[in-house]
Amino acid sequence: MTCFIVNFYVGIILFFQVLSQSLYPILLFATGQDVAIEMKTDWSQFSLSYTCLIMLGIILLMVLPRNTSYIQKVNAFGVVFVCIFLVFILVTGLKQMAITDYVYSEADFKEALSSASTLEGTDGTYTAFVPLFNSQFTPLMGILGGGYYFHNMSLSMLHNAEKPEHNTRNIAIGFFLVFLTYSLIGVLGVYGFTGQAFSEFAPSVNLIKENCLNMFASDDVTATVIRGCILCQLLCVNTLLFGLLRSQILLLHAGLTKGQDAVANESEIKLSRGKNCLLSFLMTLPPIALAIWYPYVGKLGALIAAFSTMFVIFVLPLATFTKAVYVEQCQSPLKVTSADTDDDFEKILGPECDIIKISPRPINSARADKIIFKKLAFDSEDEVEYNESRKLTSWSYKKVALASSLLATYGIAVFVIQLFYLA
């Protein structure tokens, strides 16, 4: 449960970054301030830093009620907001592709620069450089892995599905749509935000901002509408995620302090309104600190998502499986054939010991050997059959530990490579 809490807390950290960076231009638009959108710490004037404090108040007001079911009705429009953002990226990409001449070689781009005083050629076509291969793709892999991992939240929907027999098909369709969404935003975003409309950010794709909406002016109406959609969507998701993590923290605390029996009824685990507000405030401190003093949502998202993906995909499952194999092999009963259960054997182990009888396989019989366990009971002679195929693995614990160590080392190495490119 601790791992669950830590990994989903990553979402709250990233959501706070995007929420603050979306609200700041909206406030500039509402107050009529036509100033440059700068994502940096500045207390001398109204800036992103003060916007983070405003966002802190909004989030605390939304998560104050213990029951956040009312948010689910608003969150039902999340698909609409996502579709609006997709259409925006699609239109921007296609529009810029129509008026921009893209080159994929640095030599061709330098030649275009040398033949004209500006990036606009003699025929009025703007030239942009889009490298097809770049060593900076590794941070995107962290975000991609984290994005796919966070879709584990859909498991509760599958559990309550009206037709569970269609779950496999629905999962396949869902992940294909996720792939399509990432592909459309990635490809058309690159072509769109290196086009002629963003010539001040020339010369190449390397200067696309981490939050692409910050490349629009604060008085741009279309960008403001898109920012509003993202703000509403993430506020709802953040509130639901906040309520989920808060309940999990209370369950973990109750289980550690009062035992497992204390968490049998989750409805009885509640906090007073004051303690609930205090817990919510403490949960928002790390996100607001990062949003103020490290407002780089792209780098932060790549770093945290890469770490979470490494930990949850490579380290945690391998460690859990290795421990399960170790416990299973340490607790495996002593195997003794029926021929060995004589009086001398019972004198050594005692008459009430666990005796495991292995029934020999008859000649020309296809039936697998079965291990029969005799229960330790004074008034019962019941026997339970156990099949060898139910074991976790046929490998020994040492082999499992070695293979798990190699796979975990591979995952950690990939994470370290991503850190190198993020530096």
Side-chain angles (χ1 to χ4, degrees):
M1 183 177 290
T2 304
C3 298
F4 174 86
I5 293 173
V6 171
N7 280 279
F8 278 92
Y9 190 68
V10 171
I12 292 181
I13 294 176
L14 299 181
F15 286 165
F16 202 100
Q17 292 262 354
V18 180
L19 286 170
S20 301
Q21 294 185 17
S22 298
L23 181 61
Y24 176 50
I26 292 177
L27 295 179
L28 292 179
F29 179 84
T31 55
Q33 301 183 41
D34 187 13
V35 296
I37 302 175
E38 297 184 356
M39 300 299 165
K40 62 180 182 180
T41 305
D42 185 7
W43 300 103
S44 62
Q45 57 182 350
F46 180 73
S47 62
L48 177 66
S49 303
Y50 289 102
T51 306
C52 292
L53 298 178
I54 297 174
M55 181 54 61
L56 173 64
I58 295 174
I59 291 178
L60 288 178
L61 287 176
M62 294 188 68
V63 302
L64 185 60
R66 287 187 287 265
N67 185 8
T68 58
S69 59
Y70 71 98
I71 294 294
Q72 297 180 5
K73 299 179 180 179
V74 182
N75 192 50
F77 293 96
V79 177
V80 177
F81 296 145
V82 172
C83 291
I84 292 175
F85 183 71
L86 283 175
V87 171
F88 168 72
I89 295 293
L90 181 65
V91 172
T92 301
L94 294 178
K95 181 179 178 181
Q96 297 305 314
M97 289 174 67
I99 61 176
T100 305
D101 182 21
Y102 296 94
V103 295
Y104 305 99
S105 170
E106 189 173 1
D108 294 339
F109 182 70
K110 291 181 178 180
E111 182 180 352
L113 285 178
S114 61
S115 61
S117 58
T118 64
L119 290 175
E120 293 188 11
T122 56
D123 57 351
T125 303
Y126 177 79
T127 302
F129 171 48
V130 177
L132 294 180
F133 300 97
N134 196 311
S135 61
Q136 299 297 324
F137 74 94
T138 49
L140 297 178
M141 297 303 295
I143 297 176
L144 180 64
Y148 268 93
Y149 164 72
F150 279 114
H151 283 81
N152 288 337
M153 289 186 288
S154 62
L155 292 177
S156 60
M157 300 172 60
L158 295 175
H159 179 71
N160 300 320
E162 183 178 355
K163 297 181 179 180
E165 64 273 11
H166 296 158
N167 280 348
T168 303
R169 181 200 64 186
N170 295 337
I171 290 176
I173 294 175
F175 273 90
F176 173 75
L177 292 177
V178 171
F179 167 77
L180 190 62
T181 303
Y182 273 61
S183 301
L184 283 176
I185 292 179
V187 175
L188 293 179
V190 167
Y191 282 97
F193 289 94
T194 53
Q196 185 174 357
F198 307 96
S199 57
E200 59 180 302
F201 300 102
S204 73
V205 68
N206 295 327
L207 295 184
I208 295 180
K209 291 191 175 182
E210 294 176 327
N211 186 347
C212 61
L213 291 177
N214 292 336
M215 298 176 67
F216 291 91
S218 59
D219 58 349
D220 190 287
V221 178
T222 304
T224 302
V225 173
I226 300 301
R227 292 176 183 129
C229 293
I230 294 176
L231 183 68
C232 294
Q233 165 70 2
L234 292 187
L235 272 177
C236 296
V237 176
N238 183 74
T239 304
L240 294 175
L241 186 58
F242 215 97
L244 173 64
L245 289 182
R246 189 169 55 192
S247 64
Q248 295 301 309
I249 291 174
L250 295 180
L251 284 174
L252 178 62
H253 179 264
L256 293 176
T257 57
K258 301 179 182 179
Q260 189 174 359
D261 296 335
V263 299
N265 191 357
E266 299 182 14
S267 60
E268 297 180 357
I269 304 177
K270 294 182 179 180
L271 288 178
S272 62
R273 189 172 297 274
K275 292 182 179 179
N276 185 66
C277 184
L278 178 61
L279 176 60
S280 301
F281 177 73
L282 293 177
M283 290 174 63
T284 56
L285 288 182
I288 190 176
L290 288 171
I292 293 176
W293 285 286
Y294 194 78
Y296 306 106
V297 62
K299 292 182 179 179
L300 187 64
L303 177 62
I304 298 180
F307 175 79
S308 300
T309 304
M310 173 206 69
F311 185 75
V312 175
I313 293 179
F314 288 97
V315 178
L316 183 61
L318 293 173
T320 304
F321 181 75
T322 304
K323 181 181 179 181
V325 172
Y326 175 77
V327 172
E328 180 188 62
Q329 295 184 5
C330 286
Q331 295 180 351
S332 59
L334 181 64
K335 297 182 179 180
V336 185
T337 61
S338 58
D340 295 328
T341 58
D342 52 11
D343 295 339
D344 294 334
F345 185 80
E346 290 187 359
K347 288 179 182 179
I348 298 174
L349 298 180
E352 291 84 18
C353 68
D354 275 334
I355 299 178
I356 303 159
K357 300 178 181 180
I358 303 179
S359 58
R361 181 169 56 184
I363 300 177
N364 298 328
S365 174
R367 183 176 61 86
D369 291 346
K370 294 182 179 179
I371 301 177
I372 301 177
F373 291 86
K374 179 173 286 188
K375 291 184 177 180
L376 263 178
F378 295 99
D379 56 351
S380 175
E381 296 296 331
D382 296 336
E383 292 182 346
V384 181
E385 293 186 355
Y386 176 78
N387 197 325
E388 281 283 356
S389 62
R390 294 183 181 178
K391 293 178 62 176
L392 290 175
T393 178
S394 60
W395 285 19
S396 65
Y397 165 71
K398 292 183 178 180
K399 290 183 179 180
V400 172
L402 178 61
S404 299
S405 300
L406 292 176
L407 289 175
T409 303
Y410 167 76
I412 295 174
V414 173
F415 173 68
V416 172
I417 292 174
Q418 291 178 340
L419 286 181
F420 174 77
Y421 282 105
L422 282 172

